């Protein structure tokens, strides 16, 4: 059955598949179908050149398509993957980490290791030693989830 479909469409089956995958990429972008579509177009172009060669069976075409899909996806990731580049604002989406080093006054006392401070227009949950409300504290760290800050009392000089 596959032999019949491949022989009826000829090398154009890969071209059609490639363009369908590119259209899918346009409709649902994510840069994944792009590379598989490019692999299908390359197999289609090779098929146009060597369609009548005896070794160019549908199994060889599928194998070449799979290999080219992996290679093109790997190359595409290297070309488009700029996630490891240093940034001028490494704490941009980490609000809690931006608060480290800032001083504030306790809005609520720290009891049993938990309390609240107000920084800007936000009340932050804090953990630290038990302290009364109104005590000056410094933020020493932020939890990975940025939901809670760790504070210590500011010593008067």
């Amino acid at each position: 059955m596959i032999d019949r479909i491949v022989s009826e469409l000829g090398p154009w089956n890969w071209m059609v598949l490639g363009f369908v995958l590119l259209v899918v990429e346009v409709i649902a972008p994510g840069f994944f179908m792009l590379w598989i579509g490019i692999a299908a177009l390359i197999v289609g172009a090779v098929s146009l050149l060597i369609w009548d060669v005896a070794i160019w069976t549908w199994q060889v075409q599928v194998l070449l398509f799979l290999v080219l899909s992996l290679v093109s996806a790997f190359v595409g990731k290297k070309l488009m993957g700029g996630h490891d580049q240093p940034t001028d604002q490494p704490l941009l989406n980490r609000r809690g980490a931006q608060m480290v080093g800032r001083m504030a006054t306790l809005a609520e006392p720290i009891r049993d290791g938990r309390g609240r401070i107000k920084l800007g227009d936000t009340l932050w949950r804090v953990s630290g030693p038990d302290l009364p409300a109104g005590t000056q504290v410094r933020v020493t760290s932020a939890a990975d989830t940025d939901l809670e800050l760790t504070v210590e009392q500011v010593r008067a000089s």
Side-chain angles (χ1 to χ4, degrees):
M1 178 174 163
I2 293 177
D3 287 331
R4 194 188 75 182
I5 293 171
V6 170
S7 64
E8 285 178 8
L9 289 175
W12 296 105
N13 60 353
W14 292 108
M15 297 292 196
V16 169
L17 176 64
F19 285 118
V20 166
L21 289 171
L22 292 178
V23 168
V24 167
E25 179 67 30
V26 169
I27 293 170
F31 285 116
F32 186 75
M33 292 296 176
L34 172 71
W35 309 114
I36 298 173
I38 289 171
L41 291 174
I42 291 171
V43 172
V46 171
S47 293
L48 284 173
L49 297 174
I50 62 169
W51 184 253
D52 293 328
V53 177
I55 197 171
W56 194 246
T57 62
W58 70 267
Q59 294 93 339
V60 173
Q61 294 173 36
V62 169
L63 184 63
L64 179 64
F65 170 67
L66 293 174
V67 170
L68 285 175
S69 294
L70 291 174
V71 169
S72 65
F74 179 75
V75 170
K77 181 172 174 39
K78 290 293 183 187
L79 287 175
M80 298 297 177
H83 301 291
D84 296 334
Q85 296 177 354
T87 177
D88 61 339
Q89 295 181 6
L91 302 177
L92 181 63
N93 291 322
R94 298 176 51 211
R95 287 191 60 215
Q98 293 173 9
M99 301 300 156
V100 173
R102 292 188 57 188
M103 294 199 314
T105 304
L106 283 175
E108 296 176 11
I110 299 179
R111 289 192 194 117
D112 298 325
R114 305 275 184 219
R116 292 188 186 271
I117 61 172
K118 185 167 186 170
L119 282 170
D121 61 351
T122 305
L123 268 177
W124 291 85
R125 286 188 310 189
V126 295
S127 62
D130 289 354
L131 298 168
T135 305
Q136 282 288 110
V137 293
R138 176 180 294 118
V139 178
T140 58
S141 66
D144 289 337
T145 58
D146 280 348
L147 296 177
E148 186 171 88
L149 305 174
T150 304
V151 296
E152 65 182 16
Q153 183 175 8
V154 176
R155 303 283 180 215
S157 308

